[in-house]
Amino acid sequence: MFSKETYIARRAELCRRIGKGLILLPGNRNTPNNYPNNAYYFRQDSTFRYFFGLNVPAVVGVIDAETAEATLFGDDFTVEDIIWTGPQPTLHDMGAEAGVEQTRPMKDLAEVLRRAIEHNRTVHYLPPYRGETKIELSELLGIDIKMLHARKSIDLMFAVAEMREKKSAEEIEELERAFQIGYKMHTLAMKMCRPGVVEREIAGAIEGISKSYGQGVSFPSIVSQHGETLHNLNCDGVLEEGRMLLCDAGGESVEGYCSDHTRTYPVGGRFTERQRDLYNIVLRAHDHVKSIIKPHMMYRDIHRASYLSLAEGLREMGLIRTSAEEAVEAGAMYMFMPHGLGHGLGMDVHDLENVGERSFDFAAIRERAEQSATCIYRAAWRVEPGTVMSDEPGLYFIPALIDKSRAEGLYKGIVDYDALDAYRDFGGIRIEDDVLVTDDGCRFIGDKTIPITVEELEAVVGR
Ligand code: GLY
Ligand code: MN
Ligand code: MN
C-alpha cells in the first residue's frame, strides 16, 4: 500500500470533483470457482484499491462527497474464519492504514444507503462488471438489475477516469516494477522457444514468474504460433522450426500495476528473409509511434500514424499498390491490423475500460457514455503527461478476413490479393511496449528494452 496520505488526498480530490451525494465503491468479493470454498484467485477492484488501498475481499467504501468523510463497511473475521485463515487484522486497523477512521459492519450498509435515498441524495456508482456486484448493488439500491446501467453515475465515471489516467510518481514506480516482471517473463519465453517444445510449457513457465515476483498475470498469456489470431489462448501447439511464435504477456506488481508486452520471433532462432522483412515493418511502426507521441495528441491520430507506417511497408513489399495514405483512407489497413494501436495501462491492463472513456473533453462524449455499458471507445481519448498506453502495432494474415474482404470487393485496386496468396499461412506479428507520456514527449516504461531487433532476438531465442 502507499501511505495513507495518498488515499486521503485521492478521496478529497474525488469529493471536490463530485460535490454532492454519496460515492459507493464496492471492493470485489471472493468468487467461487467450482464450490464455495474454492475461489478464483482474488483480484481486487482497481478503483476501490485506488481510493482505499486495501487488497482484501468483501469490503465496501462509501464517501460522503459533501464532507469527504469515508466509511469502510465489512465484517471482522470470526474465530471460525481464523481457524482456516490464521489471525487477520480488524477492519478498523486496515481502515487506519488507508486513513479511514470510520468502519461499520456490512449489515449497516443497506440502512445507510436507504436513508440517503430517502433524503433524495444521489448515490454515485460505477458500471458494475461482475455478476455478484450487480446483484449486490441491485439489492442495496433497490434498482432492477437491468436498470443498473441506466442509473450509473457518469460524473463519477469521468472523475475516476480523469484521476486514474494521470499516473503519479509512485504509480510510475509500480509500473516499472511490473515491467521488470514482464522482462523476466519474455526473456524466459525466448530462451525456451525451441523446436519440439509445447506452447503451454512456455505459458506455464512465464506465468509462474508472474506469481513469483508479483500478484500474477495481468491477463491470460498468449503464447502461440498462430499469431494471426489476436487473442489466441490455445497453447497446445508444438513449436516447429520455421514458424514464428507470438508471446503477448504481462504481470502485475505486488501493488497491482500491470505490464503488457508482445514479442514475435522465429522458432529455432533464425529469421527467414520474408519474416525479417515483415518483422522490420512492424518494428518501424512501433518505433515511429514512440517518436511522435506528445502530450495533448488525440489517440486516433497516433493510431493513424501507425497505420500509415505499416501501409508504407506493405507498399514497399508489393502487397499494397497505392500510396499509404490512399490505403489508410480506404480502410484497407483494417485487414492487416484489425485492432487499435494501443490502450491505457495502469491498475488494469486495459486501464479504465470498465470506467469511462479517456478524454479531457467529456462534454463531447457524454451522450455516447449514456448509451454505452462500459464506454470502451478510445476515439475521443487525448493523451496527457502521466498517461500510460501500449504501443502495439501488428501485421496479421487472417485467411477468413482476407477471403471475406476479397469476396466483398473491398480495397480493389489497393490490395494486391494475388500477391497476398503467398502469405496465407504466414501467421501474425505483433510488437508491444508500454509508453509513458511525459511533459514534452514520451518514453517507454522500463530501464531497458526486452530484446526487440532481429539481431537481439537471434542472439537470445533458443536453438
Ligand atoms: N494483451 C492484450 C493486449 O495487448 O491488448
Ligand atoms: Mn498485450
Ligand atoms: Mn496490449
Side-chain angles (χ1 to χ4, degrees):
M1 258 175 91
F2 301 133
S3 76
K4 68 180 179 192
E5 284 72 27
T6 291
Y7 302 105
I8 292 170
R10 287 175 179 174
R11 292 193 299 267
E13 173 62 17
L14 183 64
C15 290
R16 197 188 61 68
R17 288 164 183 260
I18 299 296
K20 276 199 165 324
L22 291 186
I23 301 164
L24 173 61
L25 295 172
N28 281 337
R29 291 180 172 273
N30 268 326
T31 300
N33 180 342
N34 45 350
Y35 58 92
N37 282 338
N38 196 27
Y40 286 107
Y41 175 74
F42 176 71
R43 177 56 159 82
Q44 185 58 285
D45 174 75
S46 296
T47 300
F48 174 84
R49 197 169 180 187
Y50 181 83
F51 288 105
F52 291 96
L54 303 180
N55 190 27
V56 294
V59 180
V60 174
V62 174
I63 311 170
D64 186 320
E66 286 150 54
T67 63
E69 189 177 62
T71 309
L72 283 170
F73 291 83
D75 295 321
D76 283 333
F77 280 51
T78 63
V79 172
E80 285 70 30
D81 296 323
I82 288 169
I83 292 169
W84 297 93
T85 61
Q88 298 295 319
T90 62
L91 185 61
H92 184 266
D93 288 348
M94 288 192 284
E97 284 187 59
V100 178
E101 282 167 16
Q102 276 214 78
T103 55
R104 296 179 66 170
M106 192 63 96
K107 70 174 172 44
D108 290 0
L109 178 58
E111 176 63 13
V112 166
L113 296 175
R114 193 184 59 74
R115 248 193 259 143
I117 293 164
E118 263 176 23
H119 286 86
N120 289 324
R121 299 191 74 192
T122 304
V123 178
H124 298 270
Y125 65 88
L126 298 172
Y129 53 90
R130 284 195 181 186
E132 306 94 293
T133 318
K134 290 181 188 175
I135 293 168
E136 197 174 354
L137 286 186
S138 170
E139 288 176 351
L140 284 170
L141 300 172
I143 298 174
D144 187 282
I145 216 158
K146 292 196 203 70
M147 294 304 292
L148 279 174
H149 156 55
R151 307 268 298 269
K152 72 197 174 189
S153 169
I154 293 175
D155 288 339
L156 182 60
M157 288 163 65
F158 288 173
V160 168
E162 207 168 34
M163 287 180 68
R164 281 182 50 194
E165 167 85 11
K166 187 174 170 54
K167 271 54 180 186
S168 67
E170 59 191 351
E171 290 185 287
I172 292 164
E173 273 178 39
E174 280 303 315
L175 288 159
E176 302 278 350
R177 290 192 179 104
F179 166 84
Q180 298 299 340
I181 300 171
Y183 185 92
K184 287 187 176 76
M185 293 166 76
H186 280 278
T187 48
L188 176 64
M190 288 167 189
K191 287 177 194 147
M192 288 182 71
C193 176
R194 288 198 173 84
V197 171
V198 182
E199 292 160 348
R200 69 171 61 254
E201 291 178 56
I202 300 177
I206 65 175
E207 293 199 352
I209 297 239
S210 75
K211 282 210 183 270
S212 301
Y213 296 96
Q215 61 169 26
V217 292
S218 50
F219 59 94
S221 308
I222 300 161
V223 180
S224 176
Q225 291 169 113
H226 281 287
E228 78 281 9
T229 303
L230 301 183
H231 281 180
N232 193 349
L233 297 183
N234 179 306
C235 48
D236 288 331
V238 179
L239 300 192
E240 290 170 35
E241 183 106 34
R243 294 181 68 182
M244 294 189 92
L245 180 70
L246 184 150
C247 177
D248 180 354
E252 292 189 347
S253 71
V254 173
E255 287 300 324
Y257 284 77
C258 300
S259 67
D260 181 10
H261 295 89
T262 308
R263 292 292 185 268
T264 314
Y265 33 86
V267 177
R270 282 272 170 265
F271 283 80
T272 64
E273 199 178 326
R274 191 169 77 158
Q275 286 169 344
R276 182 183 306 116
D277 290 346
L278 284 167
Y279 185 87
N280 280 331
I281 292 172
V282 181
L283 183 56
R284 195 164 78 189
H286 165 276
D287 293 350
H288 175 61
V289 163
K290 155 78 170 38
S291 76
I292 62 157
I293 292 180
K294 287 190 180 45
H296 322 308
M297 268 183 96
M298 296 302 289
Y299 164 78
R300 60 172 175 259
D301 294 331
I302 303 170
H303 174 80
R304 184 180 153 82
S306 73
Y307 264 8
L308 282 170
S309 175
L310 291 166
E312 181 57 27
L314 293 178
R315 193 192 63 73
E316 287 163 13
M317 286 194 68
L319 295 176
I320 280 179
R321 291 170 163 168
T322 60
S323 70
E325 282 81 6
E326 261 179 275
V328 171
E329 281 312 308
M333 286 312 294
Y334 175 79
M335 199 174 75
F336 296 99
M337 186 178 105
H339 64 71
L341 180 267
H343 50 83
L345 210 92
M347 296 182 82
D348 291 311
V349 68
H350 278 216
D351 209 31
L352 299 169
E353 292 191 355
N354 66 321
V355 172
E357 185 158 14
R358 271 70 47 80
S359 166
F360 295 94
D361 184 11
F362 290 136
I365 59 162
R366 178 165 287 271
E367 193 181 330
R368 204 159 75 228
E370 277 163 8
Q371 288 154 12
S372 158
T374 51
C375 292
I376 62 167
Y377 306 115
R378 300 174 196 147
W381 183 19
R382 197 167 64 211
V383 304
E384 297 291 348
T387 294
V388 178
M389 63 175 286
S390 67
D391 166 13
E392 51 177 307
L395 279 178
Y396 311 91
F397 298 91
I398 307 168
L401 185 58
I402 295 170
D403 291 344
K404 180 170 182 279
S405 306
R406 189 172 200 170
E408 289 176 1
L410 299 179
Y411 326 129
K412 235 181 177 167
I414 296 174
V415 170
D416 187 334
Y417 283 101
D418 290 336
L420 208 50
D421 275 343
Y423 293 82
R424 288 179 74 83
D425 63 351
F426 183 88
I429 294 171
R430 176 162 65 250
I431 305 174
E432 174 175 25
D433 285 310
D434 305 332
V435 171
L436 167 68
V437 181
T438 57
D439 288 336
D440 54 1
C442 72
R443 71 169 175 85
F444 285 128
I445 296 279
D447 60 349
K448 51 189 177 279
T449 308
I450 298 170
I452 193 166
T453 63
V454 165
E455 296 71 28
E456 286 163 356
L457 287 168
E458 289 194 339
V460 64
V461 171
R463 269 189 219 143

